[in-house]
Amino acid sequence: MTYKKVLTIQDISCVGQCSLTVALPIISAAGHETAILPSAVLSTHTAGFTGYTFRDLTDDIPPIEAHWQKEGISFDAIYTGYLGSTKQIEYVKDILQKMGAPGCVSFVDPAMADNGKLYPAFDDGYVKGMQTLAFAADFILPNITEASFLTGIEYQERYDEAYIKKLVAALHERGAKTVILTGVGYTPDTNGVVVSEKSGLSYYKHKRIPKNSHGTGDVYASAFVGAYMRGKSAYDAARIAADYTVKTIENTIDDASHWYGVKFEPLLPFYLEQLA
Ligand code: PXL
């Protein structure tokens, strides 16, 4: 089995089952060494909790990178998610350019918006910065809202295949390489993922669970990175990540007290079976 060194850059939400508390266990379970660079530390995530603390770690990033360079450290993959500031995006771009081992694969989850709206911490400047990061990556994993912010195409809650194709084409025109567009469903009880590579576009359809779950974008992206770095094709990694994410939602849906995330941990054995 290949053993890769994956760096993931995103926040630590101490409580809330998103970002690093999801990426680290999932990518490690996939069998990879997982290094982390926390973009910020929050007491909880920002979707539903109020009064959370926020410690921006932007100024720590250049000295961390400098130390890694001095130690001769490099990574086989770099996966970025929720970042701490617009200025930090420039530092993260530098890491993408300089810290990759030969053949390094970069994955950018723009992690800035959902359901037509930016997350509370972000503004237009952040979106502009994220465009330059996303379009420099080998893979981007936006949802429809994020794709609309990245392209400037108006967000539509109701859409058809033509709208999705227009979004994906606009992402490529602006420089995106492989696009993994999540949360694309054409019927009331289905959802799915569009995989758009140089070789063409494919679609993996799966069941829609009628509940807005938090943190599932991070579960999905982490499972995708873990699977792709295990040698799966982009389509197979997209399918495996989707099947796993659906199961984590199903495992949580009946527990109203667990509104802030999904119980992804008990399903890790299922994820690993798909990677075999
Ligand atoms: O899951 C994305 C995410 C990550 N980190 C923080 C968030 C969110 C979404 O709201 O608030 C802090």
Side-chain angles (χ1 to χ4, degrees):
M1 193 177 99
T2 56
Y3 183 68
K4 302 287 190 187
K5 188 189 283 194
V6 179
L7 169 65
T8 180
I9 310 176
Q10 43 191 316
D11 72 281
I12 296 178
S13 285
C14 299
V15 171
Q17 284 175 312
C18 67
S19 35
L20 280 184
T21 64
V22 163
L24 180 54
I26 293 177
I27 299 169
S28 295
H32 308 299
E33 175 181 351
T34 311
I36 60 164
L37 180 47
S39 58
V41 179
L42 296 85
S43 50
T44 64
H45 63 62
T46 67
F49 295 102
T50 53
Y52 43 83
T53 68
F54 181 91
R55 172 81 59 196
D56 176 19
L57 297 180
T58 297
D59 293 341
D60 292 271
I61 291 183
I64 289 173
E65 182 184 1
H67 179 222
W68 286 348
Q69 284 176 342
K70 197 166 134 263
E71 295 290 335
I73 291 165
S74 63
F75 303 99
D76 300 310
I78 301 177
Y79 153 41
T80 73
Y82 187 105
L83 301 179
S85 68
T86 302
K87 182 174 160 200
Q88 191 178 101
I89 295 174
E90 290 305 313
Y91 295 158
V92 168
K93 277 161 63 183
D94 196 71
I95 290 176
L96 245 57
Q97 278 162 21
K98 297 189 181 149
M99 299 304 301
C104 176
V105 190
S106 53
F107 303 86
V108 170
D109 176 352
M112 61 184 173
D114 206 357
N115 301 312
K117 285 199 215 94
L118 282 179
Y119 294 148
F122 302 133
D123 59 13
D124 276 359
Y126 187 88
V127 172
K128 287 207 172 69
M130 185 52 74
Q131 288 168 336
T132 65
L133 176 65
F135 298 142
D138 297 312
F139 287 85
I140 55 170
L141 297 104
N143 57 36
I144 294 176
T145 304
E146 289 157 348
S148 117
F149 277 106
L150 289 174
T151 56
I153 292 174
E154 199 182 338
Y155 172 74
Q156 285 184 14
E157 204 165 312
R158 289 161 161 267
Y159 51 82
D160 55 11
E161 230 177 298
Y163 174 77
I164 295 299
K165 283 197 170 140
K166 188 168 91 174
L167 268 185
V168 170
L171 288 167
H172 287 305
E173 266 161 36
R174 284 164 174 73
K177 295 183 190 85
T178 298
V179 175
I180 312 294
L181 182 64
T182 58
V184 179
Y186 298 115
T187 65
D189 48 359
T190 63
N191 207 342
V193 191
V194 171
V195 177
S196 180
E197 304 176 88
K198 251 201 210 117
S199 55
L201 192 136
S202 48
Y203 179 60
Y204 180 64
K205 185 167 74 174
H206 56 82
K207 78 170 114 152
R208 174 190 297 275
I209 298 162
K211 185 182 178 244
N212 242 338
S213 297
H214 186 76
T216 48
D218 300 340
V219 169
Y220 184 87
S222 302
F224 180 89
V225 170
Y228 187 81
M229 295 311 292
R230 279 281 292 266
K232 300 293 178 193
S233 67
Y235 181 81
D236 284 344
R239 174 181 52 76
I240 290 168
D243 291 345
Y244 173 56
T245 306
V246 167
K247 282 206 182 286
T248 67
I249 301 170
E250 285 174 336
N251 191 43
T252 314
I253 193 162
D254 292 335
D255 183 352
S257 72
H258 206 98
W259 58 269
Y260 51 85
V262 288
K263 300 176 185 176
F264 67 95
E265 305 87 344
L267 275 311
L268 282 169
F270 168 80
Y271 172 56
L272 298 192
E273 274 166 31
Q274 314 308 305
L275 294 183

